[in-house]
């Protein structure tokens, strides 16, 4: 498909392997206006797993009135839970009721969603930062007691549409609180895509200096200002080995209107493969999957790599 491209030229100081945390089926589809049929979502997840992705975020057990697109979580999860045992299917659980629903269906990977800023906590959770953390405490504790792996998402780590720049110390404080609750890993969200590489390096340094080992940290960049790949490279240089991405570049954030699409998994793969970093993901199969989903959504994929490779095949 790519005539031996990209040429693999490793760079010093980078990890040998990166785990891609695929968020397309959940974060990518959550704010689609037209409801995507459950059978299409299930097929999307199966194709992503078949392309070699071993972590595919499936859905969210949030109240349907908040995210109507994901109202079919109870129907979808059983359709895909029988995938290969090495495929993890994390689900978002906003509260104890969401956790109950997820555990009842056998979910073994769950995530909670916090904010580094008061404004976004109010907009997204209708709570202060500390009130949200208090709400998550029993969720995380009960999930851990049930043997589940828990991820803590943290939004607005680099900038907030209402508050502007976010102090590093504020991000470190909330990250430490999530870790103290028992979260196994933390995903640092650049929700409105304003981060730059120096900012990424500074935050990761502050977090590790604050006692949070880099192997517990992942990054989640949006490409609003075209910085997602450069920010990812800065994170890799700091030792991060978990990167969130969305197949075909789907998604944004329904509660932050300035947020545009997630980092496209294919664009990330092109860079990682060129650097000689192993991912276990077949770029050709993934590109075909995103082109298939774009057809279902009735619009071209925003991923540059999907467009470039699809054009080559025509």
């Amino acid at each position: 498909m790519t005539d031996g491209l990209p040429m693999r030229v490793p760079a010093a100081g980078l990890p040998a392997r990166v785990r891609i945390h695929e968020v397309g089926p959940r974060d990518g589809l959550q704010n689609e206006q037209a409801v995507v049929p459950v059978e299409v979502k299930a097929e999307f997840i199966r194709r992503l797993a078949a392309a070699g992705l071993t972590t595919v975020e499936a859905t969210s057990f949030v109240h349907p009135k908040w995210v109507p697109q994901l109202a079919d979580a109870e129907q979808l999860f059983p359709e895909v839970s029988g995938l290969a045992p090495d495929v993890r299917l994390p689900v978002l659980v906003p509260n104890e009721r969401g956790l109950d629903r997820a555990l009842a269906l056998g979910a073994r990977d769950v995530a909670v969603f916090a904010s580094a800023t008061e404004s976004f906590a109010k907009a997204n959770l209708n709570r202060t930062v500390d009130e949200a953390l208090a709400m998550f405490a029993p969720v995380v504790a009960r999930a851990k007691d049930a043997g589940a792996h828990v991820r803590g998402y943290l939004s607005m780590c680099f900038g907030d549409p209402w508050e502007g720049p976010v102090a590093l110390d504020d991000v470190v404080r909330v990250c430490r609180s999530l870790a103290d609750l028992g979260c196994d890993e933390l995903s640092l969200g650049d929700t409105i895509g304003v981060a730059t590489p120096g900012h990424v390096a500074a935050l990761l340094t502050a977090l590790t200096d604050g006692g949070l080992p880099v192997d517990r940290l992942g990054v989640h960049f949006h490409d609003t200002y075209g910085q997602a790949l450069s920010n990812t490279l800065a994170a890799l240089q700091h030792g991060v080995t978990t990167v969130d991405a969305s197949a075909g570049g789907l998604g944004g954030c329904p509660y932050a209107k300035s947020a545009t699409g997630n980092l496209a998994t294919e664009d990330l793969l092109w860079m990682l493969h060129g650097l000689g970093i192993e991912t276990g993901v077949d770029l050709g199969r993934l590109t075909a999957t995103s082109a298939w989903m774009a057809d279902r959504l009735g619009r071209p994929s925003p991923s540059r790599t999907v467009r470039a490779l699809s054009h080559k095949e025509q």
Side-chain angles (χ1 to χ4, degrees), residues 142-187:
R142 288 185 51 213
K144 297 294 291 180
D145 287 345
H149 179 277
V150 182
R151 168 178 253 225
Y153 277 105
L154 188 59
S155 294
M156 304 297 171
C157 289
F158 299 92
D160 177 284
W162 300 279
E163 299 182 20
V166 179
L168 300 182
D169 288 347
D170 291 346
V171 182
V172 172
R173 181 183 78 82
V174 184
C175 280
R176 287 183 60 88
S177 295
L178 287 169
D180 290 344
L181 289 181
C183 290
D184 298 289
E185 68 173 308
L186 304 173
S187 174

Side-chain angles (χ1 to χ4, degrees), residues 190-268:
D190 182 19
T191 315
I192 57 173
V194 296
T196 53
H199 192 171
V200 172
L203 177 57
L204 290 169
T205 297
L207 288 166
T208 52
D209 287 349
L212 289 163
V214 73
D215 61 3
R216 292 182 67 180
L217 304 176
V219 290
H220 184 119
F221 294 118
H222 284 211
D223 206 33
T224 314
Y225 296 92
Q227 302 296 297
L229 280 176
S230 58
N231 289 334
T232 299
L233 183 58
L236 299 178
Q237 290 167 335
H238 204 90
V240 169
T241 59
T242 297
V243 180
D244 296 5
S246 177
L250 295 173
C253 177
Y255 298 100
K257 300 307 180 187
S258 57
T260 53
N262 290 298
L263 169 61
T265 310
E266 294 83 1
D267 297 357
L268 173 63

Side-chain angles (χ1 to χ4, degrees), residues 9-231:
V9 184
L14 297 178
R17 188 176 184 88
V18 161
R19 178 176 68 88
I20 296 175
H21 188 104
E22 172 59 49
V23 301
R26 198 275 303 173
D27 192 22
L29 295 179
Q30 69 178 4
N31 58 343
E32 287 291 321
Q33 294 301 308
V35 174
V36 178
V38 66
E39 58 270 17
V40 172
K41 293 176 183 172
E43 181 63 18
F44 187 34
I45 292 170
R46 293 188 198 103
R47 290 181 183 223
L48 292 170
L53 289 157
T54 56
T55 306
V56 182
E57 197 163 84
T59 189
S60 173
F61 288 88
V62 66
H63 194 286
K65 76 174 182 178
W66 296 117
V67 187
Q69 183 66 249
L70 304 180
D72 56 7
E74 264 91 359
Q75 292 74 46
L76 174 64
F77 195 79
E79 289 291 319
V80 296
S81 58
L83 290 171
D86 63 336
V87 177
R88 296 167 54 190
L89 296 171
V91 296
L92 200 64
V93 292
N95 49 36
E96 288 192 85
R97 172 59 183 146
L99 177 66
D100 289 339
R101 293 167 61 200
L103 293 179
L105 292 174
R108 308 305 299 163
D109 290 86
V110 302
V112 295
F113 208 114
S115 171
T117 66
E118 296 294 346
S119 295
F120 191 68
K122 182 67 174 177
N124 193 31
L125 299 166
N126 200 30
R127 287 170 171 79
T128 67
V129 169
D130 288 339
E131 286 170 348
L133 290 169
M135 178 180 69
F136 294 141
V139 177
V140 176
R142 288 185 51 213
K144 297 294 291 180
D145 287 345
H149 179 277
V150 182
R151 168 178 253 225
Y153 277 105
L154 188 59
S155 294
M156 304 297 171
C157 289
F158 299 92
D160 177 284
W162 300 279
E163 299 182 20
V166 179
L168 300 182
D169 288 347
D170 291 346
V171 182
V172 172
R173 181 183 78 82
V174 184
C175 280
R176 287 183 60 88
S177 295
L178 287 169
D180 290 344
L181 289 181
C183 290
D184 298 289
E185 68 173 308
L186 304 173
S187 174
L188 308 174
D190 182 19
T191 315
I192 57 173
V194 296
T196 53
H199 192 171
V200 172
L203 177 57
L204 290 169
T205 297
L207 288 166
T208 52
D209 287 349
L212 289 163
V214 73
D215 61 3
R216 292 182 67 180
L217 304 176
V219 290
H220 184 119
F221 294 118
H222 284 211
D223 206 33
T224 314
Y225 296 92
Q227 302 296 297
L229 280 176
S230 58
N231 289 334

